[in-house]
Amino acid sequence: MIPGCSTYEAIIEGRSAENDVATESIEFRASPHRKILPYNGAKRGVTSNTAVHELLECPVCMNVMYPPIHQCPNGHTLCSKCQSKVRCCPICRHELGNIRCLALERVAESLELPCKYQVLGCQDIFPYHGRLRHEQNCRFRPYKCPYAGADCPVSGSIPFLMDHLKRDHNVDMHDGCTFNHRYVKSNPQDVENATWMLTVFNCYGYQFCLHFEAFNLGMAPVYMAFIRFMGDDHDARKFSYSLEVGGNGRKMTWQGVPRSIRDSHTKVRDSMDGLIIQRSMALFFSGGSRQELKLKVAGRIWKEDA
């Protein structure tokens, strides 16, 4: 269980086959994509779409500016988000007013721009206003950290997140598509909301996250286990998984499709898309005096035929 929650024991058994800006610390930051071209006698001015694209780059946050685009009395522009957080122009330090740069807004509307995730693999080009809508759902956009134990702000590619999970969250990594995972907790009646440590399985060349949580469903305390897929929903639908718990001659099973980590673990939990066990049933499966949770979750992941 995560730091700050009650103690836990989790054991693998058997098979294992954009930038916020501080109000008083704004500085102009040169874009790494800008080039200073030597003067060769040609007429100065905007001579290419690339140069116009650079004009649309906010000098504070480096993001593309969308209307309303603001400017200082000397004509230096910045986006509306940064304009609301500063008092002076980050370039000339002149006091900002509420001046719109209508000319640049009109020029921008005629442009086509590459997706900001171009460096991550997206090669699509979009009309100025359509670009923002695309980027909100671009399949190349970074993934958020799937760790459920804290509101981790880290995002990145899947390989980057795998290193991050091992290095910063000490997440257990296992190879294989079948598993037996045991969750142990003393005095389970004292736990109303808890999240056990995430476990990641490498299977079919992809990564799958096993989650186990305790929470109240209405007034009833329950446990829930589910699997998320480290990738997009399109690839997640190629797989299925099953989970099973049991004891004393009884068992419960669940079969489903792993949800992409594009969906937060909270969203998956709240949609009840997983194996849900009432606390009384979980303690019955645990055997003994029913004063300690000893719940074994067996599972399997498989790839559906195309």
Side-chain angles (χ1 to χ4, degrees):
M1 204 177 301
I2 64 167
C5 294
S6 303
T7 57
Y8 81 101
E9 181 183 355
I11 304 169
I12 289 288
E13 298 179 332
R15 301 163 294 172
S16 250
E18 287 164 330
N19 300 312
D20 290 332
V21 182
T23 302
E24 299 299 332
S25 61
I26 300 300
E27 296 292 341
F28 171 77
R29 290 180 286 174
S31 168
H33 305 293
R34 282 186 178 144
K35 297 180 177 63
I36 300 176
L37 301 177
Y39 180 64
N40 57 8
K43 183 177 180 180
R44 292 181 183 272
V46 177
T47 59
S48 69
N49 276 347
T50 299
V52 178
H53 294 168
E54 290 174 355
L55 287 176
L56 289 172
E57 189 177 81
C58 175
V60 178
C61 67
M62 300 302 176
N63 293 323
V64 173
M65 297 184 288
Y66 290 89
I69 298 174
H70 294 270
Q71 67 177 29
C72 77
N74 290 326
H76 302 126
T77 56
L78 70 166
C79 71
S80 58
K81 181 179 179 181
C82 294
Q83 187 267 350
S84 66
K85 295 181 179 182
V86 300
R87 297 177 183 175
C88 298
C89 173
I91 297 176
C92 67
R93 298 301 182 183
H94 196 290
E95 184 176 353
L96 289 172
N98 190 25
I99 307 172
R100 291 273 295 274
C101 187
L102 300 178
L104 186 57
E105 290 181 8
R106 286 195 293 270
V107 170
E109 290 174 352
S110 67
L111 294 179
E112 291 186 335
L113 299 171
C115 174
K116 74 176 180 180
Y117 302 121
Q118 186 180 52
V119 294
L120 299 178
C122 184
Q123 300 301 313
D124 294 332
I125 304 294
F126 298 91
Y128 180 69
H129 287 290
R131 178 181 187 261
L132 190 60
R133 290 192 296 271
H134 160 79
E135 288 172 351
Q136 292 172 347
N137 296 290
C138 177
R139 66 189 184 96
F140 292 97
R141 71 192 189 278
Y143 295 90
K144 294 182 179 179
C145 174
Y147 189 73
D151 188 15
C152 181
V154 172
S155 62
S157 66
I158 298 301
F160 173 83
L161 289 180
M162 286 293 290
D163 289 339
H164 164 68
L165 288 171
K166 288 186 288 187
R167 181 182 64 251
D168 299 324
H169 296 302
N170 296 315
V171 168
D172 289 334
M173 306 279 180
H174 300 275
D175 295 326
C177 300
T178 60
F179 55 87
N180 282 302
H181 204 75
R182 186 172 64 176
Y183 297 97
V184 179
K185 177 69 183 72
S186 58
N187 301 319
Q189 293 84 356
D190 298 335
V191 178
E192 296 297 332
N193 292 281
T195 300
W196 272 256
M197 184 64 73
L198 181 72
T199 304
V200 175
F201 296 95
N202 297 302
C203 179
Y204 295 104
Y206 293 93
Q207 290 73 43
F208 299 81
C209 301
L210 174 63
H211 296 266
F212 188 76
E213 301 191 15
F215 60 98
N216 283 327
L217 185 57
M219 298 297 293
V222 299
Y223 298 98
M224 182 175 178
F226 57 91
I227 287 179
R228 286 196 295 161
F229 174 78
M230 293 188 69
D232 276 332
D233 187 62
H234 172 75
D235 289 323
R237 290 195 295 267
K238 299 176 183 178
F239 298 91
S240 294
Y241 74 96
S242 64
L243 297 173
E244 179 180 303
V245 296
N248 292 324
R250 280 87 168 172
K251 69 179 180 180
M252 296 175 61
T253 60
W254 162 268
Q255 181 173 321
V257 176
R259 296 278 285 272
S260 166
I261 59 172
R262 297 288 191 200
D263 293 334
S264 69
H265 85 282
T266 303
K267 181 177 181 179
V268 179
R269 183 196 67 192
D270 292 348
S271 66
M272 308 299 166
D273 195 359
L275 175 64
I276 299 175
I277 315 114
Q278 291 187 350
R279 180 195 287 169
S280 58
M281 182 63 71
L283 294 178
F284 174 76
F285 288 153
S286 299
S289 63
R290 302 188 185 182
Q291 298 303 308
E292 184 178 27
L293 178 70
K294 293 181 179 180
L295 192 65
K296 185 167 70 173
V297 178
R300 181 171 71 94
I301 302 166
W302 66 92
K303 192 171 185 178
E304 295 289 354
D305 295 332

